[in-house]
Amino acid sequence: MSSKTPLLEVIALDAADAEGAQAGGADRLELVADMAQDGLTPSVETVRDVLSATDLPVRVMLRDNGSFDVGDLEGLRADTGRLIDAGAREFVFGFLNVDSEIDLDACEALIKEVDGLPWTFHRAIDRTRDPVRAYDQLASLGCDTVLAAGHPNGVASGLSVLQRLAQRDGGPELLVGGGLRAQQVHLLRAGGVRGFHVGSAVRPGGWQAPVDAATVRTWVDLVKS
């Protein structure tokens, strides 16, 4: 079930984004590379730059391709070690098998690498056969957060699933993102959602432009008022 404390997480690509998100009052960052593929593992250099630019918690993506297949697992394990050495202390990952179920083997391999550090299972859950059942499975994997839109097409199509997830007892925190729009926040909050995740919504200039602090502030007010 979601925490009583509202949280706004902002997608960051670099240090400028981190600074804008923090200036606007965001609570946490999700650090990724290559939004054309919906977010891949950032470079060690970028992680160091971002950690130097902000004191917000930073969740670093572990993903090497645009699908939810694990891809090069050994490469991801090596990346995890390098990123921890660079200062990363929170992560984001999640993989599916050919049956559109959670790839437990791949996830457990990275869980060993992160060795107790907090992590989010990302929107792979939206492509499982049964997101509610998958959410309950994830409690046993030990992630503290699940990022979901409730549907592969985004929040607008997934509201009913999100409301069901928000009512689960125990388990990970629900973080809602994926085409999230400001007008959806009130309904989601009324249903028990307290965690919100935004990317393009806080970039009026598009993905080529940095996170806009004033827009982040608007979202903070919306999520927390």
Side-chain angles (χ1 to χ4, degrees):
M1 181 173 285
S2 297
S3 166
K4 294 180 180 179
T5 305
L7 179 141
L8 181 69
E9 180 179 88
V10 172
I11 297 173
L13 298 174
D14 55 28
D17 285 348
E19 291 166 355
Q22 179 161 340
D27 298 295
R28 191 168 72 201
L29 303 178
E30 180 191 75
L31 180 59
V32 307
D34 197 353
M35 281 307 300
Q37 297 195 69
D38 293 327
L40 303 180
T41 304
S43 69
V44 167
E45 293 75 18
T46 299
V47 170
R48 287 195 181 113
D49 288 347
V50 167
L51 292 174
S52 296
T54 182
D55 52 16
L56 291 177
V58 179
R59 297 222 161 177
V60 181
M61 181 66 76
L62 296 170
R63 185 167 179 247
D64 70 3
N65 67 86
S67 77
F68 294 111
D69 178 82
V70 66
D72 178 7
L73 178 56
E74 291 310 307
L76 288 173
R77 292 177 66 184
D79 285 344
T80 306
R82 284 191 286 268
L83 295 169
I84 290 172
D85 288 346
R89 292 296 178 266
E90 303 185 30
F91 291 93
V92 184
F93 56 89
F95 310 105
L96 305 182
N97 60 28
V98 294
D99 297 317
S100 297
E101 305 284 0
I102 295 169
D103 187 336
L104 296 174
D105 290 343
C107 290
E108 286 170 355
L110 289 191
I111 289 165
K112 288 180 182 176
E113 297 298 330
V114 302
D115 194 23
L117 296 174
W119 62 280
T120 297
F121 188 95
H122 61 54
R123 283 195 57 202
I125 192 174
D126 294 329
R127 296 184 181 275
T128 58
R129 291 172 184 251
D130 182 346
V132 176
R133 185 167 67 86
Y135 188 86
D136 291 341
Q137 261 190 301
L138 289 167
S140 65
L141 277 182
C143 66
D144 68 353
T145 303
V146 174
L147 170 62
H151 192 278
N153 293 340
V155 171
S157 300
L159 288 170
S160 62
V161 171
L162 292 170
Q163 288 173 331
R164 289 172 67 198
L165 294 178
Q167 297 307 314
R168 308 305 282 175
D169 287 326
E173 301 289 336
L174 176 61
L175 181 67
V176 172
L180 179 65
R181 296 179 180 176
Q183 59 265 37
Q184 294 161 336
V185 170
H186 178 74
L187 177 63
L188 289 163
R189 286 185 61 186
V193 175
R194 294 292 177 267
F196 297 90
H197 169 96
V198 291
S200 58
V202 292
R203 297 170 185 270
W207 283 106
Q208 303 306 312
V211 167
D212 178 68
T215 309
V216 173
R217 201 167 296 117
T218 300
W219 273 86
V220 169
D221 291 343
L222 183 65
V223 165
K224 301 191 177 190
S225 61

